[in-house]
Amino acid sequence: MTRDSHKIARRMSLIDASGIRKVFDLAAKMKDPINLSIGQPDFDVPEPAKRAAIEAIQKGFNKYTQTQGTAELREAVAKKCAAEFGWKDDRLFLITSGVSGALLPAFLALVDPGDEVIIFDPYFVMYTHQTNLCGGRPVLIGTYPDFRPDIQRLADAVTDKTRMIVLNSPTNPTGAVLGEREIRDIAEIAAKRDLLILSDEIYEMFCYDQPFVSMAKHYENTLLMRGFSKSYGMTGWRVGWCTGPRPIIEKMTMLQQYSFVCAPSMAQAGALAALDCDMSPQVRAYRRKRDMVCDSLKGKFGLVRPGGAFYAFVPAPGGDATKFAAKAIEKGVLIIPGNVFSGRDTHFRISYATDDKTLQKGLDILNSL
Ligand code: PLP
């Protein structure tokens, strides 16, 4: 029965979750699937971070924190940035409920109806949906077949309506990592119109073949976002952070005050301890898994070697990813068809953030298809 009081706001018709929901619906019916679909690390939160969060709870650190996050965590993040970028200014930092908790206030604060947001395709799903929610228009720039940004196409896509460029390196879902030349070229295009670049660097630690290059190092008008979910296996703890132009961080902080209020207090205490933990063994293990995926699939699938994150974006045999994913799922392997992340449906995403045995089993089945 539909009731007037259940009428849904029009903006909700601008987003849908059909692609990914189909995968989850299928998965729910499976017994012990080989799950190569999950975008989260299989390693656990480092012990010192767990201890700090438990201690915080036991000491009664269970109330709201300041909207912008605890002073200790903001200072620690600022210190890290000062070391990495040489920043000496007293810039604002906002501790958020994951990078997701930074993205939504950013889009709400920045995108007006009719504004264009430039997004490289394939992309992380939130970017297009949040643009749409704000009444903006995602302007997609395809990066197929090698997932490198085409600088001329970027330059051509900029119009009077362009509000910002969204960048995500290392990239979900392709694993592509932008090099210094590419970062500089993109910065140069943005600088011509003083465009804002939103740089989502949540996978910054997972860079396997070259040092990570941050847009924030090369372009001042950058809204920088990083998180703890992937780097420290804390997806459920919900902590991230954001910094950038002061007026934007101020408005995002105001939105946080009226929505999420603050990131979880004990998780902020845990995140502070996490910053001192060495995650290089985990990153090395993921590099090895990346090699495992490439060695196994290169013969039959001809994939582009991913340089970071923990995903591979693999051409689907026959060029129909939804069909191929359905076949894989029939055989017990969960993968995600490319149309969830792209205007095209020619590739599928696998996440190799799982144990070696499960990964090998999954790869063997994919090869057998
Ligand atoms: N950005 C990218 C590119 C991601 O892949 C994800 C998660 O998958 C997020 C942001 C959100 O992460 P979280 O909200 O857990 O920090």
Side-chain angles (χ1 to χ4, degrees), residues 39 97-101 103 124 126-127 168 170-172 200 202-203 226-230 234-235 238-240 311 349:
S97 295
V99 170
S100 313
L103 285 168
F124 175 52
M126 284 187 195
Y127 308 147
N168 169 223
T171 308
N172 176 7
D200 176 348
I202 192 167
Y203 296 101
R226 288 192 190 168
F228 293 82
S229 287
K230 318 285 177 175
M234 284 188 191
T235 47
R238 312 308 307 135
V239 197
Y311 310 107
R349 187 189 82 172

Side-chain angles (χ1 to χ4, degrees), residues 62-369:
N62 299 305
K63 310 281 194 280
Y64 302 128
T65 69
Q66 276 186 291
T67 300
Q68 61 269 45
T70 64
E72 292 85 352
L73 186 53
R74 275 181 293 127
E75 275 161 24
V77 168
K79 215 167 123 191
K80 232 176 101 70
C81 285
E84 185 175 343
F85 304 121
W87 289 339
K88 293 191 181 72
D89 52 353
D90 61 339
R91 55 173 49 232
L92 293 181
F93 286 84
L94 173 63
I95 307 298
T96 55
S97 295
V99 170
S100 313
L103 285 168
L104 188 62
F107 277 86
L108 285 172
L110 292 165
V111 178
D112 271 325
D115 282 351
E116 293 177 352
V117 176
I118 294 182
I119 299 167
F120 292 101
D121 177 350
Y123 48 79
F124 175 52
V125 285
M126 284 187 195
Y127 308 147
T128 49
H129 288 310
Q130 293 190 5
T131 303
N132 286 329
L133 257 187
C134 296
R137 192 170 80 79
V139 175
L140 302 181
I141 301 188
T143 58
Y144 295 90
D146 57 359
F147 311 127
R148 311 311 317 172
D150 182 327
I151 302 303
Q152 190 53 49
R153 285 187 67 192
L154 172 64
D156 294 345
V158 174
T159 73
D160 291 342
K161 290 187 181 154
T162 305
R163 185 64 192 86
M164 63 177 166
I165 300 169
V166 177
L167 214 63
N168 169 223
S169 168
T171 308
N172 176 7
T174 62
V177 178
L178 298 188
E180 184 162 332
R181 184 71 260 154
E182 290 166 319
I183 291 281
R184 281 179 185 277
D185 287 347
I186 293 168
E188 204 176 294
I189 305 284
K192 279 190 188 144
R193 300 253 192 143
D194 194 26
L195 284 173
L196 182 75
I197 297 184
L198 188 166
S199 188
D200 176 348
E201 301 182 358
I202 192 167
Y203 296 101
E204 148 250 359
M205 234 183 236
F206 301 91
C207 234
Y208 307 127
D209 305 322
Q210 63 194 67
F212 170 69
V213 187
S214 172
M215 182 52 83
K217 190 154 195 162
H218 295 278
Y219 188 58
E220 182 242 326
N221 199 5
T222 295
L223 185 60
L224 167 65
M225 297 180 183
R226 288 192 190 168
F228 293 82
S229 287
K230 318 285 177 175
S231 315
Y232 301 100
M234 284 188 191
T235 47
W237 288 25
R238 312 308 307 135
V239 197
W241 58 265
C242 180
T243 189
R246 184 169 272 265
I248 298 176
I249 299 296
E250 279 171 354
K251 291 296 183 233
M252 288 173 64
T253 307
M254 195 163 84
L255 278 170
Q256 174 144 292
Q257 188 179 338
Y258 293 134
S259 56
F260 302 100
V261 180
C262 64
S265 54
M266 68 295 287
Q268 290 188 57
L272 179 64
L275 282 176
D276 290 329
C277 297
D278 174 21
M279 303 306 283
S280 54
Q282 286 87 337
V283 173
R284 270 200 303 279
Y286 278 26
R287 178 192 287 131
R288 197 180 41 72
K289 288 176 200 288
R290 186 276 312 258
D291 293 343
M292 237 173 107
V293 170
C294 292
D295 291 346
S296 170
L297 296 186
K298 71 175 182 231
K300 288 203 167 135
F301 290 87
L303 78 166
V304 176
R305 188 177 180 81
F310 34 72
Y311 310 107
F313 206 55
V314 188
D320 183 338
T322 296
K323 211 162 144 190
F324 185 74
K327 257 193 195 165
I329 290 167
E330 249 173 51
K331 298 277 180 202
V333 183
L334 275 180
I335 52 174
I336 305 193
N339 62 358
V340 169
F341 315 94
S342 175
R344 283 173 54 167
D345 193 31
T346 50
H347 292 57
F348 61 91
R349 187 189 82 172
I350 69 173
S351 159
Y352 50 84
T354 187
D355 64 274
D356 285 2
K357 217 171 117 199
T358 306
L359 182 59
Q360 194 57 58
K361 245 193 206 154
L363 293 170
D364 290 345
I365 294 176
L366 291 176
N367 273 321
S368 76
L369 290 173

Side-chain angles (χ1 to χ4, degrees), residues 50-62 265-266 269:
K50 285 186 188 172
R51 275 199 302 276
I54 292 166
E55 255 171 48
I57 291 173
Q58 284 172 337
K59 280 193 197 146
F61 190 64
N62 299 305
S265 54
M266 68 295 287

